[in-house]
Amino acid sequence: MLKHAVLPLLVSAGLMAAAPVALAATNLVFCSEGSPAGFDPGQYTTGTDFDASAETMFNRLSQFERGGTAVVPGLATSWDVSPDGLTYTFHLREGVKFHTTPYFKPTREFSADDVLFTFNRMINKDDPFRKAYPTEFPYFSDMEMDKNIKNIEKVDDHTVKFTLGTVDAAFIQNLAMSFASIQSAEYAAQLLKEGKAADINQKPIGTGPFVFKSYQKDSNIRFTGNKEYWKPEDVKIDNLIFAISTDPSVRIQKLKKNECQITAYPRPADIKPLEADKDMKMPHQAGFNLGYIAYNVMPVLKGQTTPNPLADLRVRQALDMSVNKQQIIDSVYQGAGQLAVNAMPPTQWSYDTTIKDAKYDPAKAKELLKEAGIKEGTEITLWAMPVQRPYNPNAKLMAEMLQSDWKQIGLKVNIVSYEWGEYIKRSKGGENQAMIIGWSGDNGDPDNWLGTLFSSPALNGNNFSKFVNKQYDDLISQAKSTTDVAKRTELYKQAQQLLKRELPYTPIAHSTVYQPMRNTVQDFKISPFGLNSFYGVSVSGK
């Protein structure tokens, strides 16, 4: 067994830049791919943010089973649904404690008041806390939950009743998602009194398996195991450290040196060598994800005055049919990717197998550009992600290949990028033109793809194409408001066909997810939703 005397070494801000460190058996270092934008899960939509907040420090009323898509009880032990599907009554878990930290010491246990605070803040723009700390909740509003939840009633300290305006077939699954993490109303009241409401995003308090200790941007995040967690068997790590590095080669070197025990998103070229390393294991599974190009269809981009050529369907058709997808899959995914045709993976129920890609045809693409009045040498910008994600192992290389593809049809493509948080913020604001992005499913429901990525309610969230189409919105709305799976399937198929006609995006690939780790890591489960969770995980000594 390795000794705990090494702990002082872990306190250094530059701990990951040091020589290999011998770690105690109850410490785990995760080499993560990027810095979170903050620690209030409701404000964000990306796995980088959720890994560092919702998956470590928070719980939700319902939760997904570890490594699966089934919904299980969380902070609610059970729930009842009215016959008309509009009223949900949640029976809350008793004896749950919020974290105790140097900046907050709770005087009561989790109760209905915390549920009301969490959701009323997202629904009501006049909520006192939201007025003190103005922010948006894009995922919540993308799915129109802010409009559909008509009332939240505290029946008693351990019972809460939600009343909906219309049936939401995925309501329980939605409440299991990261953005629905439960916050402490008592902590919020303390922050309001101190005039420090924004600290909810920098000094988080939850009920989850790990407690926040410190964060240094682009370096590390440190957590300690929650000794008062309501499910103590899930806390097997004393110290959890996120070592942040955007460079995949650096992450792999740290893994090999045992400076971290598990890492995110290896490069395809690293997979076989790691599989051959006797000190490593490499679990993998088909990814429930999509890597794609979003085309901003706004007539004029934010901050610009000239017309946006991508607003013309013929230009989007030309871009789409001149993408050499197979070459990208071979070079970028290197055997770990499957050709994508639709806006969701084939394993998602309601996937339309009849839809086919346009034939790869640069000559036809040139004709379409000419027909649209686009001159040879016209410049467009292509945004490339600065980080790896489960759906894209190398956005920079993909961007360079797209630049070459589109050069062949007479376009001059300028590749731009930003730090990950800025990349997402700017693109949600509509500054992007063509953009490399992707998605990992969050709840197993088709609406999580078709509604979240392309509907009008998602315009300020994950609808990076800024696509608005009333017929499409009507299909998505109708599909959400019935529990009849056959009806929902037919509506979602119609929506997929409409997307293929209007082309606000070009789907590229569904990638296989690999999770490199040292043999000492026990019971880590790959999430189908592209998240990294460490509750239930342990590290054995050698």
Side-chain angles (χ1 to χ4, degrees):
M1 185 67 67
L2 299 175
K3 297 185 181 295
H4 287 265
V6 300
L7 277 175
L9 293 174
L10 298 177
V11 185
S12 162
L15 66 99
M16 290 303 112
V21 176
L23 294 174
T26 51
N27 297 338
L28 188 147
V29 181
F30 169 56
C31 276
S32 64
E33 82 294 353
S35 293
F39 297 94
D40 176 3
Q43 294 190 42
Y44 302 109
T45 62
T46 78
T48 302
D49 299 304
F50 293 153
D51 284 352
S53 59
E55 295 304 301
T56 53
M57 297 178 288
F58 290 92
N59 295 120
R60 287 140 304 278
L61 292 176
S62 56
Q63 298 188 171
F64 293 107
E65 65 177 357
R66 206 158 60 92
T69 60
V71 176
V72 297
L75 291 178
T77 57
S78 63
W79 45 84
D80 308 314
V81 186
S82 62
D84 63 4
L86 295 177
T87 302
Y88 289 74
T89 303
F90 292 89
H91 306 284
L92 306 183
R93 191 177 299 277
E94 298 187 35
V96 176
K97 297 180 180 180
F98 279 97
H99 299 158
T100 296
T101 70
Y103 51 87
F104 178 67
K105 293 177 172 51
T107 63
R108 64 165 177 80
E109 295 177 341
F110 160 72
S111 74
D113 292 331
D114 304 303
V115 179
L116 265 64
F117 166 72
T118 296
F119 290 99
N120 283 333
R121 178 175 67 125
M122 293 194 281
I123 292 169
N124 181 14
K125 292 190 176 184
D126 291 323
D127 178 89
F129 193 91
R130 188 163 175 183
K131 291 182 79 171
Y133 177 39
T135 189
E136 297 299 323
F137 302 93
Y139 217 143
F140 189 71
S141 57
D142 279 4
M143 296 190 294
E144 298 188 282
M145 293 181 76
D146 56 334
K147 296 175 182 173
N148 197 34
I149 297 175
K150 297 303 180 185
N151 187 49
I152 309 174
E153 176 187 353
K154 175 184 175 180
V155 179
D156 57 44
D157 280 350
H158 295 98
T159 312
V160 176
K161 184 182 293 184
F162 284 71
T163 302
L164 307 184
T166 59
V167 172
D168 182 347
F171 187 65
I172 293 297
Q173 290 97 314
N174 293 343
L175 291 186
M177 292 164 62
S178 298
F179 72 86
S181 295
I182 301 299
Q183 299 275 3
S184 165
E186 184 184 14
Y187 179 48
Q190 174 185 306
L191 292 177
L192 264 185
K193 185 176 180 181
E194 296 172 347
K196 298 178 179 178
D199 276 3
I200 200 169
N201 195 30
Q202 300 302 323
K203 296 180 177 179
I205 292 291
T207 59
F210 297 97
V211 181
F212 180 77
K213 292 294 287 184
S214 64
Y215 169 49
Q216 184 171 344
K217 186 177 173 66
D218 299 330
S219 177
N220 62 76
I221 317 168
R222 285 197 288 275
F223 311 89
T224 58
N226 182 5
K227 300 302 182 186
E228 297 185 309
Y229 191 48
W230 53 269
K231 195 176 180 185
E233 65 272 21
D234 273 357
V235 183
K236 300 177 181 179
I237 300 168
D238 290 330
N239 297 282
L240 173 64
I241 301 116
F242 280 34
I244 301 165
S245 177
T246 58
D247 187 333
S249 63
V250 172
R251 297 198 298 268
I252 294 302
Q253 286 306 310
K254 288 178 178 177
L255 182 70
K256 289 178 178 178
K257 294 177 182 178
N258 200 23
E259 292 179 13
C260 61
Q261 289 73 54
I262 184 167
T263 186
Y265 320 128
R267 296 173 302 182
D270 291 323
I271 291 171
K272 285 188 178 179
L274 286 170
E275 285 178 328
D277 190 324
K278 61 180 178 58
D279 293 323
M280 306 291 171
K281 50 187 174 184
M282 182 76 83
H284 62 277
Q285 64 186 33
F288 193 56
N289 59 42
L290 170 69
Y292 66 98
I293 310 162
Y295 302 125
N296 190 329
V297 301
M298 293 172 66
V300 179
L301 300 179
K302 182 179 178 181
Q304 303 292 317
T305 56
T306 55
N308 172 26
L310 274 61
D312 191 314
L313 174 60
R314 293 166 296 184
V315 175
R316 302 196 299 275
Q317 289 172 328
L319 293 173
D320 178 76
M321 68 176 58
S322 57
V323 174
N324 192 331
K325 286 190 186 181
Q326 192 57 54
Q327 195 173 72
I328 289 174
I329 290 172
D330 292 343
S331 300
V332 174
Y333 293 85
Q334 296 185 26
Q338 173 188 354
L339 182 73
V341 176
N342 283 347
M344 54 190 183
T347 49
Q348 173 66 67
W349 64 268
S350 80
Y351 181 91
D352 191 337
T353 57
T354 68
I355 293 176
K356 305 300 179 187
D357 267 343
K359 181 184 175 183
Y360 173 65
D361 193 342
K364 173 65 174 175
K366 281 186 174 181
E367 291 176 13
L368 283 168
L369 290 179
K370 185 176 181 180
E371 184 183 316
I374 304 300
K375 296 179 180 179
E376 183 98 9
T378 293
E379 295 189 22
I380 64 170
T381 58
L382 172 62
W383 288 29
M385 299 188 305
V387 298
Q388 285 179 286
R389 299 299 303 146
Y391 47 76
N392 192 323
N394 193 338
K396 182 176 183 293
L397 176 58
M398 182 182 289
E400 291 167 352
M401 296 183 73
L402 291 170
Q403 184 182 49
S404 176
D405 285 343
W406 292 340
K407 182 180 179 180
Q408 292 181 43
I409 60 172
L411 297 174
K412 182 180 179 182
V413 179
N414 300 311
I415 299 173
V416 298
S417 191
Y418 299 93
E419 180 271 331
W420 180 233
E422 193 71 10
Y423 188 85
I424 295 298
K425 179 182 177 181
R426 285 174 176 265
S427 52
K428 285 182 177 178
E431 294 181 30
N432 59 294
Q433 196 167 32
M435 171 189 183
I436 295 174
I437 192 65
W439 190 249
S440 292
D442 278 331
N443 67 10
D445 193 89
D447 184 73
N448 186 240
W449 301 90
L450 301 178
T452 301
L453 301 182
F454 297 105
S455 70
S456 295
L459 275 176
N460 295 320
N462 292 295
N463 184 348
F464 297 115
S465 302
K466 305 304 176 188
F467 177 66
V468 178
N469 183 290
K470 185 179 184 305
Q471 182 185 356
Y472 182 84
D473 287 342
D474 288 346
L475 290 169
I476 298 303
S477 180
Q478 291 172 47
K480 274 185 67 175
S481 59
T482 176
T483 56
D484 186 318
V485 174
K487 287 182 181 177
R488 295 189 78 202
T489 296
E490 177 54 34
L491 290 164
Y492 285 132
K493 285 185 174 180
Q494 291 179 42
Q496 290 168 72
Q497 291 161 7
L498 190 152
L499 281 180
K500 206 64 176 179
R501 290 195 302 271
E502 296 298 325
L503 283 178
Y505 79 119
T506 290
I508 301 293
H510 311 290
S511 71
T512 303
V513 175
Y514 288 84
Q515 192 81 54
M517 65 188 74
R518 297 191 69 85
N519 289 331
T520 52
V521 178
Q522 305 299 322
D523 206 26
F524 180 90
K525 306 286 188 184
I526 296 178
S527 164
F529 306 130
L531 299 172
N532 291 283
S533 306
F534 297 97
Y535 59 95
V537 177
S538 63
V539 182
S540 63
K542 291 195 72 173

